[in-house]
Amino acid sequence: MTVLFYIASLIAVLATLLVITRKHPVHALLYLVVSFLAISINFYLLGAPFIAALEIIVYAGAIVVLFIFVVMMLNLGTETRMKESEWLRPKTWLGPASLSFLLLVELIYLIGLAPKEHSTITEVDPAAVAASLFGPYLIAVELAGMLLMAGVVGAAHIGQHKRKQWHRFLKE
Amino acid sequence: MITTINISHVLILAAILFGLGALGVVIRRNVLFMLISVEIMLNSAGLAFIAAGTKWTQADGQVMFLFILTMAAAEVSIGLALIMQIYHQHKTLDIDKLNNLKNEELTTRTMVHGL
């Protein structure tokens, strides 16, 4: 069962690599969905089935769909692909990629310094998460509700279009 | 079936994904792709929290991921609304061109709105 975790991790890393290198935005978003699916399998293997389901429903099912709607509405297709092929040259990404790779090697070394213990995975079921949300983390839930309210109001206000026809009393 | 996973490997996976997301933010010039890369980074941070929750067999890791998810949803909705407005007004998503925070057309538009 442990090998399933490594297979899903490999798929996630490959899909994420393809997300950041694609030229067409819809291709990048499709690979992003694949990456989220692989991470969701990892969550399930780590004993978090509630979060595995929530990742698919909210992240891959709402947030990525929101991205796709915006891509469709702004009609970012062919010209984006042509522009991106001139923007994504090796001289652009070679510098940051090599420096980030060195930092990543450092980080992996530091994480690997921890004692090598294999944790037995016991599932933390949704009932425990729900009890935790209604108990100790109640205030955080209320704050998250306020944040979502602010997000909705903000997005509705920012996204509104100017009215084309004003009533003659309302014209400036 | 008893599964044993080395939690350090999960953290290494989270680090790799975070690095890829950060790389995506740095090398892409299109604002939409930068937002996608930020989502990758948020997801990898959530993976680190779930790994911590698994290690100590507590529900706190999952609760934290839930809040990260909430915050990511709010951020994406506002970010995409901003991107749509930027595209409608400037007709470009190139961050090298979107470098004027105070633009004349922007000011006129807010005055017409009566804000």
Side-chain angles (χ1 to χ4, degrees):
Chain A
M1 281 275 275
T2 314
V3 73
L4 293 177
F5 169 75
Y6 290 108
I7 296 176
S9 307
L10 189 64
I11 294 178
V13 171
L14 283 177
T16 310
L17 201 60
L18 288 170
V19 170
I20 63 176
T21 54
R22 290 305 98 190
K23 302 192 179 65
H24 199 294
V26 177
H27 297 175
L29 288 167
L30 290 178
Y31 279 115
L32 190 65
V33 171
V34 171
S35 169
F36 287 159
L37 291 178
I39 300 289
S40 176
I41 292 184
N42 272 343
F43 286 164
Y44 184 77
L45 289 169
L46 284 171
F50 178 55
I51 294 299
L54 228 56
E55 163 112 352
I56 306 266
I57 296 172
V58 175
Y59 238 126
I63 293 183
V64 173
V65 167
L66 212 56
F67 272 109
I68 293 182
F69 280 167
V70 168
V71 168
M72 275 172 17
M73 273 198 277
L74 300 182
N75 225 350
L76 304 168
T78 336
E79 6 170 319
T80 311
R81 193 168 29 160
M82 293 190 317
K83 267 191 239 160
E84 295 285 340
S85 37
E86 22 173 294
W87 286 348
L88 206 56
R89 287 277 157 76
K91 71 174 169 69
T92 311
W93 56 260
L94 210 53
S98 39
L99 292 176
S100 309
F101 182 69
L102 287 175
L103 286 177
L104 185 66
V105 164
E106 252 188 60
L107 191 56
I108 292 180
Y109 172 70
L110 285 173
I111 295 178
L113 282 181
K116 290 185 187 353
E117 42 172 281
H118 287 253
S119 317
T120 311
I121 308 295
T122 39
E123 176 182 313
V124 180
D125 61 336
V129 178
S132 185
L133 279 172
F134 273 101
Y137 290 106
L138 188 57
I139 295 197
V141 173
E142 304 292 331
L143 288 175
M146 284 198 249
L147 175 69
L148 285 174
M149 188 68 183
V152 164
V153 170
H157 177 74
I158 292 175
Q160 56 178 196
H161 286 286
K162 193 175 95 138
R163 287 192 54 169
K164 298 275 183 353
Q165 289 292 101
W166 289 93
H167 191 269
R168 65 176 190 275
F169 293 159
L170 294 171
K171 279 201 197 118
E172 298 287 316
Chain B
M1 198 174 321
I2 306 289
T3 321
T4 55
I5 294 181
N6 192 352
I7 295 294
S8 301
H9 292 181
V10 186
L11 289 180
I12 289 175
L13 171 69
I16 292 176
L17 289 176
F18 189 87
L20 285 176
L23 191 64
V25 171
V26 166
I27 67 177
R28 298 307 293 243
R29 216 160 115 172
N30 193 343
V31 169
L32 191 73
F33 283 100
M34 291 168 76
L35 201 53
I36 293 174
S37 307
V38 170
E39 291 310 307
I40 300 173
M41 286 202 281
L42 285 171
N43 191 30
S44 76
L47 176 63
F49 271 109
I50 300 285
T54 302
K55 180 173 163 60
W56 302 105
T57 328
Q58 287 176 352
D60 295 8
Q62 300 191 36
V63 165
M64 194 62 212
F65 186 82
L66 199 66
F67 293 135
I68 291 178
L69 216 53
T70 308
M71 186 236 101
E75 169 210 343
V76 162
S77 58
I78 295 197
L80 287 177
L82 281 171
I83 285 182
M84 276 174 40
Q85 277 292 350
I86 287 175
Y87 191 75
H88 278 311
Q89 293 191 11
H90 301 276
K91 300 286 179 285
T92 180
L93 285 178
D94 179 7
I95 48 161
D96 287 343
K97 297 209 171 48
L98 300 167
N99 53 5
N100 296 332
L101 202 54
K102 178 177 164 64
N103 199 354
E104 285 165 4
E105 303 150 7
L106 217 62
T107 319
T108 319
R109 203 185 135 81
T110 23
M111 274 170 15
V112 166
H113 247 291
L115 291 168

